[in-house]
Amino acid sequence: MKRIVVIALAALGFVVAATVGRYYLVGHGGGTSSSSSVSIGGPFQLVDHNGKAVTDEDFRGKYMLVYFGYTFCPDVCPTSLSIVAEALDQLSPEELDKIVPIFISVDPDRDTPESLADFVPHFHEKLVGLTGTPEQIKAVARAYRAFYAKVNEDDPDGNYLMDHSSITYLMGPDGKYAAHFSHGTPPAAMAKRLAEIL
Ligand code: NI
């Protein structure tokens, strides 16, 4: 009984958080607003798909196109990363040079640097995969107001899915929020907006 109440409260908390997040991120500005009253992004300490420790400062001077997901994701992440890749392919070489696409895992228990190294090249040669400790992932997700939660944890085979928000964030060369793209933004629309900003 107690456990059910706890789960219900946790689920309610997630829904409230997701709703608030949706309001801030999607509820105003039409999905690509360049000004925001809420701060998105911030410092992070993670490890890249080559096993190298990185921080947000390593990306200064470049735009970061950031997406949160996990390599076991059956549909949403592959779709979103394919859209990012298609959009990047529509940029000029000069524009492409100014931007680093980044995939941050919300499943640090399974997404090692090695599994990210197998995953990211399927989408784009420039895509950087980042993972970290559960605490590091929690911190970066909180900074970006990205939401994630394990589902069907009771699978006897240990398989599980993750619920997660699906927003692509564009951060400026100074590390500050520049724009975001809601789930399902077509590649051409994303490329057009990127080219305007870059
Ligand atoms: Ni996903």
Side-chain angles (χ1 to χ4, degrees), residues 67-70 72-78 80 103 106 162 164-166:
Y67 185 81
F68 289 83
Y70 68 114
F72 285 80
C73 185
D75 42 31
V76 174
C77 294
S80 299
F103 177 75
V106 294
M162 304 288 300
H164 64 90
S165 48
S166 182

Side-chain angles (χ1 to χ4, degrees), residues 112-191:
T112 61
E114 293 75 23
S115 56
L116 287 170
D118 286 338
F119 182 75
V120 291
H122 290 295
F123 297 95
H124 199 275
E125 59 179 5
K126 288 196 72 173
L127 184 61
V128 174
L130 299 181
T131 187
T133 66
E135 292 72 29
Q136 288 172 327
I137 295 301
K138 200 172 169 184
V140 67
R142 184 179 294 149
Y144 279 80
R145 294 166 206 265
F147 300 98
Y148 63 99
K150 254 183 207 181
V151 290
N152 51 333
E153 273 185 274
D154 293 335
D155 183 315
D157 299 324
N159 298 319
Y160 59 87
L161 296 172
M162 304 288 300
D163 275 339
H164 64 90
S165 48
S166 182
I167 290 165
T168 305
Y169 306 85
L170 182 69
M171 310 302 287
D174 56 359
K176 299 224 167 71
Y177 171 88
H180 70 269
F181 302 94
S182 49
H183 179 71
T185 300
M190 188 181 288

